[in-house]
Amino acid sequence: MLLRSRCSSRSTAVVPGDLATVAQAPLAQGVIGAPKLTPYTYDQAKAKQLLTEAGYPNGFSTSMQWPLEGGPNIRALAQAMISDWAKIGVTVKPLEKERAQWLEDFGKLDWDMNLQTDVTGTGDADYTLARLYVCSAKQNGYCNPALDKLLLFTKVTVSGS
């Protein structure tokens, strides 16, 4: 599962329950080069605190799009995430779209959050990371030259841990 938003904060959405397991990285563990990171804990009070610190003490409204054909459980996953965000004051409008419309809006950066479940079709982390997240890809409305340097370095380096 990949959820991308055009914000610069380092945060993740953790969906508790039977629909998902806590991610250990932005990539599935079966992907070549996926690290095992310490996951964030599910903490509504901390989430509300971070929203207040970011200038949103009463939460905010946004939207999340995903392709109708995005996977067998993508709608349920989206609904679980939207439900949890509502608990901290973030109202998310669900936008399930036909693939053609989703692709058009994705390419034009006409979205707030974008949910995908098919992040590494090749099993290689580079398929997603260097293809979508470097500044030159212009896929996220976000550019970080330091991140580019790391992604491009890892494109030629694989280390076991």
Side-chain angles (χ1 to χ4, degrees), residues 27-34 118-128 158:
L27 300 167
Q29 288 302 295
V31 174
I32 298 167
D118 56 345
V119 297
T120 50
T122 64
D124 183 349
D126 181 54
Y127 175 78
T128 298
V158 176

Side-chain angles (χ1 to χ4, degrees), residues 83-103:
S83 175
D84 277 353
W85 285 322
K87 294 174 186 174
I88 61 168
V90 177
T91 303
V92 180
K93 179 180 178 180
L95 300 173
E96 184 174 59
K97 300 177 178 180
E98 294 290 338
R99 184 163 292 281
Q101 186 63 56
W102 173 79
L103 281 171

Side-chain angles (χ1 to χ4, degrees), residues 69-91:
E69 308 85 2
N73 294 316
I74 196 167
R75 181 183 300 140
L77 180 59
Q79 290 170 341
M81 294 166 72
I82 290 169
S83 175
D84 277 353
W85 285 322
K87 294 174 186 174
I88 61 168
V90 177
T91 303

Side-chain angles (χ1 to χ4, degrees), residues 1-5 23 25-28 64-67 70 74 77 81 102 106 113-120 128-129 131-133 140:
M1 185 267 301
L2 177 65
L3 175 66
R4 291 189 279 169
S5 64
L27 300 167
M64 179 171 63
Q65 74 166 14
W66 66 90
I74 196 167
L77 180 59
M81 294 166 72
W102 173 79
F106 179 77
M113 290 189 291
N114 185 61
L115 176 62
Q116 298 177 39
T117 57
D118 56 345
V119 297
T120 50
T128 298
L129 296 177
R131 182 175 60 91
L132 297 175
Y133 291 100
N140 295 299

